[in-house]
Amino acid sequence: MRKLIFVISFFVLTLVLSAQNTVHLCVNEKHNFGVPPTVGSIYNWLIQDTSLASIDSGNGTHQILIDLNKAGVFQLLVEEKDVNGCFGYDSILVRIHNLPTPTINALGPTSFCEGDSVLLQVDSSYLNNIWSNGDTLIYTYAFFTDTLFVTVTDTNGCLGSDSIFVDVHPNPIADFIVDGLCIYHPTTFIDNSNISADSIITRIWHLGENSIYYGDSINYSYFTAGDYSVELLVVSNFGCRDSIYKTFTIFSKPIANFDHYPFSVSTLQPEMNFNNTSLSSASSLWNMGDDTSGFYIYGTSDTSNSPYYQFEDPGVYDIVLTITDTNQCVDSIMQKIIMYYDFVFFMPNSFTPNNDQRNESFGPKGLRMDHYQSYQFTVYNKWGGKVFETDNIPEYNEDGECVNNCWDGKNVPNGVYSWMVVIKDELGAIRKEIGNVTLKR
């Protein structure tokens, strides 16, 4: 009688088994069984317990494909009828084994911070263990975010697998900026940390001597020049952390000072020269206070070391010099400068309105008359009668001849006349000037 042939497709191996040998297989697989073929023969296959397995295809031929559906033991029989009508029989026992069900146990948290790890271990011993990261022991270590698998093989050659997800959170990268390195001025520490995922929720600043601050940025003033250190600790919302330690130098500030010549200015002499006499000055900036009408002269400017400046209006001005040294430390100094008011007033004692275009009219001349707050010019005859009056400032041409708002002497005889000018100057002082003038044609 022919031997029943068992063909295991998965291993691409054909086994010749004696009758009633037991074959060990795994549930939920498909396997080929067969006998040596004879031309003209018909084969009838029978599964003793169809609750365990079923014929998928090939019945009537020398080879069939069987579905292994449930764990247990069944007998597989085959009946061969040859061309002569003769019958032959064979059988084999098949044991179907359940697949192994490994469980991966994590010996520690499966969510952790970058740089840590977790030990993963299969719950039982198997013939073989193959991890998705290539390890072949009963355990492995996980260092990165991943779903790790293990495939095990038991002593029956059956395969089972399990998986576990490991979530690795990134560490923040601590960094900060130091802005301002001068004594007496606030030094600002600005967080410049970053994190690839999650978020930074806590920032702790250690400034030494148990000085601890919290926040995205902090201000701190140093009152002694020298070297200092600051540590920043940052923590993510998952609890991952990083820190950085920086050393920096706090510098002394420069000392601002300046002198000027002359000591004061006036409307007649409005120019002043300033000279920066500061210590450790790399750049300077001048501010002339409330003098919005004045201007720098001789090619100097508000950043010159020794500027020349022409004041326009009388008053007291707070002149401020601000200097910066090479470490960007700043100092400033203020001095008061007085521009005095020079009252300049001139009135001729005669005029000759004879149409020769010279000395044709009579009126006052002065400095900055357009700055007067009020003005009244009156001319009287010898009996005290008004012959001319105006409250408009006189206007003169390039030749010094008055062209508007002066007395032209018309319709009055030659003689001596008296005049009076009442002025409220640009500082608010009331000034009254009187005199006589001779009209001669």
Side-chain angles (χ1 to χ4, degrees):
M1 181 169 297
R2 295 185 179 90
K3 306 291 185 183
L4 181 64
I5 300 175
F6 165 54
V7 181
I8 305 176
S9 298
F10 184 78
F11 294 101
V12 196
L13 176 66
T14 301
L15 302 177
V16 179
L17 302 171
S18 299
Q20 299 305 304
N21 283 346
T22 300
V23 176
H24 297 272
L25 300 175
C26 304
V27 73
N28 297 328
E29 295 180 353
K30 294 179 181 290
H31 284 282
N32 288 309
F33 293 84
V35 295
T38 300
V39 177
S41 291
I42 297 174
Y43 303 90
N44 183 39
W45 297 84
L46 178 65
I47 295 175
Q48 186 183 39
D49 188 347
T50 56
S51 68
L52 302 180
S54 58
I55 298 174
D56 183 273
S57 62
N59 200 8
T61 69
H62 76 287
Q63 183 172 303
I64 61 171
L65 180 64
I66 291 182
D67 293 327
L68 306 175
N69 301 321
K70 184 178 178 182
V73 179
F74 68 89
Q75 186 177 39
L76 176 61
L77 301 99
V78 61
E79 177 188 71
E80 179 185 357
K81 180 180 179 182
D82 64 14
V83 293
N84 299 312
C86 297
F87 291 88
Y89 302 92
D90 201 0
S91 65
I92 192 172
L93 288 177
V94 178
R95 179 178 290 276
I96 304 174
H97 296 276
N98 282 320
L99 300 180
T101 56
T103 298
I104 300 175
N105 293 322
L107 305 184
T110 55
S111 293
F112 51 85
C113 295
E114 182 182 0
D116 291 337
S117 63
V118 62
L119 175 64
L120 306 177
Q121 184 172 310
V122 180
D123 61 336
S124 300
S125 295
Y126 296 95
L127 189 62
N128 290 304
N129 305 278
I130 300 178
W131 295 85
S132 54
N133 62 6
D135 285 349
T136 57
L137 299 176
I138 195 174
Y139 64 87
T140 189
Y141 285 92
F143 299 92
F144 309 103
T145 296
D146 196 6
T147 299
L148 281 90
F149 296 86
V150 65
T151 300
V152 301
T153 304
D154 63 14
T155 54
N156 299 307
C158 297
L159 302 179
S161 65
D162 191 22
S163 66
I164 190 170
F165 178 71
V166 175
D167 187 17
V168 180
H169 292 259
N171 290 323
I173 300 174
D175 191 23
F176 64 90
I177 299 169
V178 183
D179 183 26
L181 298 172
C182 308
I183 61 172
Y184 309 126
H185 290 274
T187 298
T188 302
F189 301 96
I190 305 168
D191 175 42
N192 194 37
S193 307
N194 65 84
I195 189 169
S196 60
D198 297 335
S199 60
I200 298 174
I201 61 171
T202 303
R203 298 161 179 87
I204 305 174
W205 303 86
H206 295 270
L207 273 63
E209 297 181 356
N210 296 319
S211 297
I212 299 176
Y213 297 84
Y214 299 85
D216 293 347
S217 63
I218 61 170
N219 292 323
Y220 190 83
S221 295
Y222 294 90
F223 300 98
T224 304
D227 294 332
Y228 294 88
S229 298
V230 168
E231 181 184 27
L232 171 62
L233 170 66
V234 292
V235 184
S236 74
N237 56 336
F238 186 76
C240 301
R241 59 183 58 202
D242 188 32
S243 62
I244 187 171
Y245 184 89
K246 287 188 178 182
T247 299
F248 52 92
T249 301
I250 296 296
F251 298 97
S252 298
K253 71 173 186 177
I255 300 175
N257 199 13
F258 69 89
D259 55 30
H260 55 85
Y261 180 83
F263 177 77
S264 63
V265 289
S266 69
T267 51
L268 284 176
Q269 294 180 322
E271 297 179 6
M272 179 170 281
N273 174 222
F274 297 91
N275 184 38
N276 180 2
T277 60
S278 307
L279 298 178
S280 304
S281 173
S283 65
S284 56
L285 180 66
W286 299 87
N287 186 308
M288 297 301 169
D290 295 330
D291 186 19
T292 57
S293 301
F295 50 91
Y296 293 90
I297 56 177
Y298 306 130
T300 62
S301 70
D302 60 352
T303 58
S304 299
N305 225 28
S306 297
Y308 285 84
Y309 190 80
Q310 180 171 313
F311 293 88
E312 278 294 297
D313 300 316
V316 179
Y317 297 97
D318 294 335
I319 309 302
V320 178
L321 169 63
T322 302
I323 63 169
T324 305
D325 66 12
T326 55
N327 299 312
Q328 301 303 305
C329 296
V330 178
D331 191 29
S332 63
I333 187 174
M334 186 272 289
Q335 295 185 33
K336 292 184 180 295
I337 299 297
I338 300 176
M339 182 178 182
Y340 293 96
Y341 176 63
D342 294 311
F343 181 73
V344 178
F345 182 88
F346 168 75
M347 185 70 89
N349 56 16
S350 66
F351 73 111
T352 57
N354 55 10
N355 296 319
D356 64 356
Q357 306 303 316
R358 296 180 59 189
N359 202 21
E360 292 290 325
S361 59
F362 171 70
K365 290 184 178 180
L367 184 66
R368 300 170 62 89
M369 295 181 71
D370 56 335
H371 288 72
Y372 291 167
Q373 297 183 32
S374 66
Y375 166 83
Q376 187 74 36
F377 171 38
T378 309
V379 180
Y380 303 91
N381 60 23
K382 61 182 179 180
W383 295 285
K386 291 182 182 179
V387 297
F388 177 78
E389 185 177 34
T390 183
D391 58 3
N392 294 317
I393 299 297
E395 299 177 7
Y396 292 85
N397 62 19
E398 294 180 354
D399 296 327
E401 290 293 324
C402 183
V403 294
N404 284 309
N405 306 322
C406 289
W407 181 41
D408 57 12
K410 291 182 179 180
N411 302 320
V412 295
N414 291 342
V416 177
Y417 294 83
S418 61
W419 57 267
M420 180 175 65
V421 176
V422 180
I423 298 168
K424 185 177 184 180
D425 66 24
E426 58 186 287
L427 298 182
I430 304 296
R431 300 176 183 270
K432 181 178 180 181
E433 303 289 337
I434 58 175
N436 296 317
V437 60
T438 300
L439 186 158
K440 184 186 298 184
R441 291 183 175 89

